[in-house]
Amino acid sequence: MSQTTTQQAQTAAEVASTATLAPAQQQDVLDQLMKPEIQESLNVLVANLPKLAELTTLLTKTYDLVQTVANDHVLIDDIKGGMEEFVKPISDKAKGIAQAAIEANDRVHVEESTIGLFGILKMLKDPQVQKTLRFAQAFLEVSAERQQQKR
């Protein structure tokens, strides 16, 4: 019982302290409300209250969804695993190409023999060389077409 009385006394003291500040604040608010631009702004706000309420509801739902997703460690782990599954083959292929380039560079420095005309003719029979030459030809054709389109 004494706690309730103490709480009521504290509440009454808070109300009294705000009541003494209230007239000055009320005067400031009334002064602000008398300005035409403030009145115009209030009219616009009142006219758009349904839209603002709808927007607030949408933002609240979005915030709740983001909080749920951000705190769902299972979903985060699943997304992380999915991204790893997507990136891993690309990464492995890039590493393989880089290793092949490094190994080819090493071979070029070890073997310092020259390639003659008959060596080139022999190389032209290789399917990999043919594939590379077809790619180079197609690439150059596409580059030429794009350069013509720019002009």
Side-chain angles (χ1 to χ4, degrees):
M1 181 94 173
S2 63
Q3 288 179 347
T4 322
T5 310
T6 309
Q7 288 175 350
Q8 288 176 351
Q10 287 176 348
T11 306
E14 290 173 4
V15 169
S17 66
T18 55
T20 56
L21 296 175
Q25 290 176 347
Q26 286 177 352
Q27 188 63 34
D28 288 341
V29 170
L30 290 176
D31 290 341
Q32 291 291 323
L33 288 174
M34 295 304 291
K35 295 180 182 176
E37 62 271 4
I38 300 293
Q39 290 176 357
E40 266 183 60
S41 299
L42 285 173
N43 286 335
V44 170
L45 279 173
V46 169
N48 289 314
L49 275 178
K51 291 179 186 176
L52 291 172
E54 185 179 334
L55 182 63
T56 303
T57 303
L58 182 65
L59 287 173
T60 302
K61 288 179 182 178
T62 304
Y63 176 80
D64 291 342
L65 176 67
V66 169
Q67 284 296 328
T68 302
V69 169
N71 293 326
D72 188 358
H73 297 293
V74 173
L75 179 64
I76 291 171
D77 291 341
D78 288 346
I79 291 172
K80 181 180 167 188
M83 291 300 289
E84 286 175 355
E85 288 177 16
F86 177 75
V87 172
K88 187 170 176 25
I90 296 169
S91 174
D92 291 345
K93 186 145 186 144
K95 286 178 184 177
I97 291 170
Q99 287 173 346
I102 291 169
E103 187 176 339
N105 188 32
D106 292 342
R107 285 186 188 181
V108 166
H109 291 299
V110 170
E111 301 172 14
E112 294 195 16
S113 63
T114 59
I115 299 176
L117 180 60
F118 292 111
I120 292 174
L121 291 175
K122 183 179 176 186
M123 285 173 53
L124 285 175
K125 293 179 183 179
D126 184 10
Q128 283 293 71
V129 172
Q130 287 293 315
K131 184 178 176 183
T132 304
L133 290 174
R134 281 194 304 274
F135 175 80
Q137 181 182 15
F139 182 79
L140 292 172
E141 288 173 358
V142 169
S143 294
E145 288 172 4
R146 289 188 178 182
Q147 198 171 29
Q148 288 294 333
Q149 288 175 354
K150 285 183 181 179
R151 291 182 185 180

